Amino acid sequence: MVKKMVTKTVDLRSDTVTKPTEAMRAAMADAEVDDDVLCCDPTAQRLETEVAKITGKEAGLFVPSGTMGNLISVLVHCEVRGSEVILGDNCHIHIYENGGISTIGGVHPRTVKNNEDGTMDIDLIEAAIRDPKGALVYPTTRLICLENSHANTGGKCLSVEYTDKVGELAKKHGLKLHIDGARIFNAAVALGVPVDRLVQAADSVSVCISKGLGAPVGSVIVGSESFITKARRLRKTLGGGMRQVGILCAAALVALRENVGKLESDHKKAKILAEGLNKIRGLALNVASVETNIIYFDINEGSNMTVQKLCKNLEEHGILVMPETSTRVRLVVHHQISENDVHYALSCFQRIMMGTPSENGS
């Protein structure tokens, strides 16, 4: 049996799979650099200043990954081992970051149920704050973490009003607020709210440049000058000091300049994809729940199709997706997915679910 040759690839696994654009590669080749551990790489400084300005914070720090950015932020706010952070039970920090806040930082996570819109009920957050009178036996609550947009609930956006309320609650109890803003630009675009206003209540934010914005590497954490001073030292401790890092920051600056404006189009393409999938027999999703660039769909119970079989068949036609559970699949749209790619993917889904063969690239 001759195996079909894949001539077209549509990679919907994540928005982290994008390739650097020609403009990014050119900027990287021409980047002005120096030793960033000695705090003097000019391109890194430009990026950090720019992200701090966009987010309305005093200073920024480039880090290799969002995971390191979140870890550093939590550890700065929770300097004393045995501190406790309140965060969602379905958030990225709690599920996908190797438990680093505990294993490395000695910080105890206290989870609150994430609702379907990515929020946590305000009263449940407040109820989770430890009574200082019980300090002899309880961990000490020092931090609340939010995630915006919220990936595991399908890229849901937390509103300014909600974020402000959590910020007010944090201040009332003398706590800090950190926002995992891996896709904060997606949230800002979807809500029609400037990024600085969206994160105004936060003491720190981790902003990923290598997801929706399409840079090859990195995140920037932002906060006060004193926060960033402590964060810089922790970055060195964790092995994140990278010398001539301006080569990477140059690509990130291009991403900020060229790709923020493409996010609205990404969201529209995600909506087209969701609407198309919803019409295919055997698949189930809530189209109205698609707010940004992330889609989750389920295979209906009783269907002859399985997630494993669907993913394998899609891959044979050049469509790459992310299996989540035995019945659920995740798709993520990014700036290197065209509307034609969306329609091609939908045609493959349709034919596979109907059991009809198709030719790759047709």
Side-chain angles (χ1 to χ4, degrees):
M1 183 177 176
V2 179
K3 190 175 180 180
K4 287 182 183 178
M5 181 179 292
V6 175
T7 58
K8 181 182 179 72
T9 299
V10 179
D11 196 339
L12 296 165
R13 292 173 298 167
S14 178
D15 47 9
T16 60
V17 302
T18 56
K19 308 299 189 291
T21 63
E22 288 303 314
M24 289 179 191
R25 292 177 187 272
M28 292 169 79
D30 294 338
E32 184 184 1
V33 298
D34 208 322
D35 190 329
D36 189 52
V37 176
L38 302 180
C39 301
C40 57
D41 185 296
T43 307
Q45 289 176 336
R46 281 199 295 274
L47 174 65
E48 291 162 351
T49 300
E50 180 66 15
V51 177
K53 180 181 176 183
I54 291 170
T55 55
K57 305 303 179 188
E58 291 178 2
L61 182 71
F62 182 79
V63 293
S65 69
T67 294
M68 184 182 284
N70 286 327
L71 176 58
I72 289 172
S73 298
V74 171
L75 298 192
V76 170
H77 294 308
C78 300
E79 291 181 289
V80 180
R81 292 181 69 85
S83 298
E84 189 166 73
V85 55
I86 295 171
L87 72 179
D89 67 342
N90 202 20
C91 76
H92 198 279
I93 293 175
H94 185 59
I95 297 174
Y96 297 119
E97 300 185 8
N98 299 107
I101 61 172
S102 299
T103 57
I104 296 173
V107 178
H108 189 259
R110 186 161 167 87
T111 59
V112 173
K113 184 181 183 299
N114 277 121
N115 300 314
E116 289 186 3
D117 63 359
T119 64
M120 298 175 281
D121 290 347
I122 300 288
D123 59 342
L124 293 182
I125 296 175
E126 187 158 29
I129 298 171
R130 303 288 188 176
D131 186 342
K133 294 175 183 175
L136 179 64
V137 291
Y138 296 143
T140 302
T141 309
R142 298 188 191 278
L143 176 66
I144 301 171
C145 289
L146 299 176
E147 180 182 338
N148 199 10
S149 64
H150 196 278
N152 266 9
T153 55
K156 296 294 196 311
C157 304
L158 308 188
S159 69
V160 169
E161 294 77 16
Y162 173 78
T163 306
D164 284 352
K165 285 179 183 176
V166 177
E168 289 165 11
L169 178 65
K171 282 187 172 60
K172 174 183 171 184
H173 291 274
L175 309 178
K176 299 297 185 181
L177 174 61
H178 172 70
I179 294 179
D180 174 1
R183 296 182 177 89
I184 194 67
F185 283 94
N186 290 87
V189 167
L191 294 169
V193 176
V195 173
D196 59 346
R197 180 64 191 89
L198 197 52
V199 301
Q200 184 176 301
D203 296 285
S204 60
V205 188
S206 176
V207 180
C208 190
I209 313 295
S210 62
K211 289 189 171 69
L213 299 187
V217 178
S219 290
V220 177
I221 50 178
V222 294
S224 66
E225 293 278 5
S226 61
F227 170 87
I228 293 300
T229 297
K230 293 175 181 178
R232 188 178 298 278
R233 187 179 182 194
L234 275 168
R235 184 184 68 175
K236 186 70 171 68
T237 302
L238 295 170
M242 295 184 292
R243 306 301 177 182
Q244 286 71 38
V245 76
I247 291 174
L248 299 177
C249 294
L253 283 165
V254 173
L256 281 172
R257 185 173 66 242
E258 297 187 353
N259 291 345
V260 174
K262 298 175 183 177
L263 295 177
E264 186 176 1
S265 173
D266 293 345
H267 299 171
K268 287 178 180 176
K269 285 178 285 191
K271 204 75 169 178
I272 293 169
L273 183 55
E275 288 168 349
L277 291 169
N278 197 43
K279 294 174 183 175
I280 297 174
R281 183 176 297 176
L283 304 182
L285 72 154
N286 180 3
V287 175
S289 72
V290 179
E291 297 180 5
T292 53
N293 64 327
I294 300 175
I295 302 166
Y296 285 98
F297 70 84
D298 292 288
I299 296 178
N300 287 334
E301 191 176 345
S303 170
N304 291 326
M305 183 61 66
T306 65
V307 164
Q308 185 178 7
K309 183 179 176 184
L310 176 61
C311 292
K312 182 175 182 294
N313 288 348
L314 286 169
E315 187 172 356
E316 288 173 357
H317 294 90
I319 310 296
L320 305 180
V321 300
M322 183 79 76
E324 283 288 316
T325 68
S326 60
T327 61
R328 173 163 282 206
V329 175
R330 187 186 83 162
L331 311 175
V332 184
V333 174
H334 48 80
H335 77 98
Q336 291 177 341
I337 297 294
S338 68
E339 196 164 326
N340 284 340
D341 291 334
V342 169
H343 291 300
Y344 170 66
L346 284 171
S347 71
C348 291
F349 271 100
Q350 177 73 48
R351 294 182 186 197
I352 290 167
M353 292 302 294
M354 289 176 63
T356 307
S358 67
E359 292 300 320
N360 177 266
S362 63

